[in-house]
Amino acid sequence: MDKKGGFVISLDFELGWGVQDTNRDGSYDGNLHAVHTVVPRLLELFSKYAIHVTWATVGMLCVTSKTDLIQYLPCEKPTYSNTVFSSYEIMPSIQDKDPRYFAASLVELIKNTANQEFATHTFSHYYCVEDGQTKEQFISDLKSAKKIAQQPLKSIVFPRNQVNKDYLSICQKEGIRAYRGNPKHPLFKSEQFLDGWHFKRIYKIADSYLNLTGHHTFSLQQIEKNHIWNIQASAFLRPYYSRLKILENLKLKRIVKSLQYAAKNGEIYHLWWHPHNMGKNIDENFEFLEKVLVEFTKNKEKYNFQSYSMSDVVKNLEINN
């Protein structure tokens, strides 16, 4: 990948485990149920354009039922000061085969589709910088993630992008070689979860439509290693909102310009989102994503721009080091 740029896509595949603290009223359930439609459709689209993708998956969704999950539970569970963050708090209320929380068939589909990397989003959607949790609890969680995955895990995406640098050496010891870091801008630094509307959230949304913080692309030589490689994010693919329909072209232009910049300069552009983000306005979201992939293909043909999973980038790093 010396002078060739690359387009990295990583997905935070989490189902209800990723929103269990913010979806207690069930208002987001429609998006969660729709994931069972979204994932096969994503895989079909990625196959059409030969797109390599990292699927960072919460371990708890890898089985068919709560009964099956019990055998994989970690010895130590997180003791968050705010117990609402714990996935284990809601387990008694979950039905045995609730599709909002279990998706073994989708996991197998991902694993059996070409160019897709199965990675980890921790076992329990573990929050690495929230008060009360400990290093020992994270180790226990990660071991359960490895056990339930039933295959080696080479990449990790920390839930809610809470990168705890003290935990990177643990990831290395467990065989993980890469993580998705945050863009290098104060707006995106790792911090405890803050729900609701606030200045930083509004600024992040605006940045999805207008280039307020830069392209956040990077060369192979600029990738940093702190025990494991930091394949940092460039942008979040914000879903379609009918109220912001008039701004969809601006959102596309924002992504296309960054893709072009990366391709022309031999750099990497890393786009991420959650499958459940596409669970509402599905057709509109897929129409937009296909436009992005068409633009990628144009850059591939013109600049030899490539598609990479996070693990693919690591392979290139290790070849060149």
Side-chain angles (χ1 to χ4, degrees), residues 60 63-73 91 94-98 102:
M60 294 175 96
V63 291
T64 59
S65 69
K66 184 166 64 174
T67 302
D68 294 335
L69 179 61
I70 292 172
Q71 63 182 303
Y72 297 101
L73 297 181
M91 281 188 65
I94 296 174
Q95 296 298 312
D96 194 45
K97 296 185 178 181
D98 192 329
F102 305 111

Side-chain angles (χ1 to χ4, degrees), residues 91-134:
M91 281 188 65
S93 65
I94 296 174
Q95 296 298 312
D96 194 45
K97 296 185 178 181
D98 192 329
R100 296 173 301 168
Y101 296 94
F102 305 111
S105 61
L106 295 183
V107 168
E108 288 307 306
L109 191 60
I110 293 165
K111 290 180 176 179
N112 292 322
T113 302
N115 303 320
Q116 309 304 296
E117 176 193 9
F118 188 78
T120 186
H121 200 36
T122 72
F123 179 77
S124 65
H125 205 254
Y126 190 101
Y127 299 129
C128 293
V129 302
E130 296 295 344
D131 293 334
Q133 57 81 34
T134 68

Side-chain angles (χ1 to χ4, degrees), residues 292-310:
V292 172
L293 300 186
V294 167
E295 290 298 326
F296 157 73
T297 302
K298 291 177 182 178
N299 284 291
K300 180 179 180 180
E301 294 170 351
K302 188 173 182 179
Y303 300 106
N304 201 19
F305 200 48
Q306 300 295 307
S307 175
Y308 296 108
S309 67
M310 290 172 61

Side-chain angles (χ1 to χ4, degrees), residues 22-42:
T22 59
N23 186 44
R24 295 300 173 92
D25 62 355
S27 60
Y28 200 68
D29 283 354
N31 287 63
L32 300 179
H33 284 290
V35 170
H36 292 266
T37 299
V38 168
V39 169
R41 193 166 167 181
L42 278 172

